[in-house]
Amino acid sequence: MAAFSVIVPAYHEQANIRPLTTRLFAAVDEPKDTELIFVDDNSRDGSVEEVEQLKAEGYNVDIIVRTKDRGLSSAVLRGFTDAHGKYLVCMDADLQHPPERVPAFFHALKSSAFVLGTRYSPEVSMDKDWPLIRRVISAGARMLARPLTTVSDPMSGFFGIQKDYVIKAKNVNSQGFKIALDLLIKAEIPSSMIAEVPFSFGLRTVGESKLTGKVMVYYLDQLKELYVYKFGVVTCVLVLLVLAALAVLALWYLASLVL
């Protein structure tokens, strides 16, 4: 039975399945103790056939095809549930998360409950061709999540967690977009049990980005739910009232300068 499981949510990612699989198993120290599970939202693009071919070649890889459920977070949770490993890693299928960094996650998980891949470290850098708008959106999203956690990259989708903590987490939002942030808060993992693994975030080479306006709205809704979960309704309402009052005072002051 595998001790390590890598979960990859996928939709129309057939072209990335083979390179991800071969690179991953070439990188890990113990291929026989590692399983790779793709969770596909019924792409019907040849992904199933690609995985079956890789299995025939001896790779410990499988694919779960969902015909009813949809969405990234629910796909990750389904993969975590079906995984046999004690140590779980989630990564994207688009190869922006380098498979060569997975062994560092496995190593860190042996002494940490949660391991977050971070793009914000002196040791690594963003791809120079990453669009400015994506950088701005990422920075803004990090700032909005800052009161919830001290980790450097709360928006990261490249993360690892011990399976016992997945089981422990309550009321995880399966419709949210940032499943790592949700698990980090709701599994109530102490900061002393959180580690970070730097990685260089590259550009997607095949397929299309899943970032849309709808996804950003989902993220804001998820943040609202997490703030209430962590701080309570009363505290959140009071903070909003204070911010609104400060905004009114600022506008009044600016207006008085003009007049």
Side-chain angles (χ1 to χ4, degrees), residues 154-212:
M155 309 311 299
S156 180
F158 196 8
F159 70 97
I161 186 171
Q162 293 185 13
K163 189 163 187 175
D164 287 347
Y165 280 86
V166 176
I167 297 170
K168 174 185 175 182
K170 304 297 182 184
N171 302 315
V172 178
N173 185 354
S174 63
Q175 301 305 313
F177 181 62
K178 293 300 179 183
I179 183 64
L181 180 60
D182 218 76
L183 285 169
L184 190 59
I185 302 303
K186 293 180 179 175
E188 299 181 357
I189 300 171
S191 57
S192 60
M193 291 293 289
I194 300 172
E196 295 192 355
V197 170
F199 75 97
S200 296
F201 190 73
L203 292 173
R204 169 186 280 273
T205 56
V206 179
E208 298 179 358
S209 172
K210 306 300 188 294
L211 181 64
T212 63

Side-chain angles (χ1 to χ4, degrees), residues 214-228:
K214 183 181 292 187
V215 163
M216 287 185 273
V217 171
Y218 286 158
Y219 172 61
L220 293 175
D221 187 62
Q222 183 179 11
L223 277 182
K224 178 189 71 176
E225 193 258 334
L226 287 174
Y227 271 98
V228 171

Side-chain angles (χ1 to χ4, degrees), residues 78-100:
R78 171 66 187 277
F80 281 175
T81 299
D82 286 16
H84 298 99
K86 175 181 179 181
Y87 306 110
L88 312 174
V89 168
C90 172
M91 65 186 300
D92 289 348
D94 56 17
L95 299 176
Q96 290 181 304
H97 298 160
E100 291 76 16

Side-chain angles (χ1 to χ4, degrees), residues 9 15 17 25 31-32 42 45 58 62 97 104 112 133-134 170 189 197 205 251 255 259:
I17 287 176
F25 282 100
K32 292 182 179 179
N42 203 25
D45 64 345
D62 207 346
H97 298 160
S112 303
I133 185 63
R134 291 294 299 271
K170 304 297 182 184
I189 300 171
V197 170
T205 56
L251 290 172
L259 298 175

Side-chain angles (χ1 to χ4, degrees), residues 10-17 40-50 63 65 206-207:
Y11 184 63
H12 290 163
E13 298 284 4
Q14 183 271 336
N16 288 320
I17 287 176
D40 180 83
D41 283 357
N42 203 25
S43 298
R44 299 182 182 180
D45 64 345
S47 292
V48 172
E49 292 78 8
E50 190 72 68
I63 186 167
V65 178
V206 179

Side-chain angles (χ1 to χ4, degrees), residues 123-145:
E123 302 174 40
V124 299
S125 61
M126 291 278 191
D127 190 294
K128 62 180 177 62
D129 295 322
W130 211 45
L132 177 61
I133 185 63
R134 291 294 299 271
R135 295 172 188 265
V136 171
I137 290 172
S138 179
R142 287 172 66 210
M143 182 181 68
L144 290 172

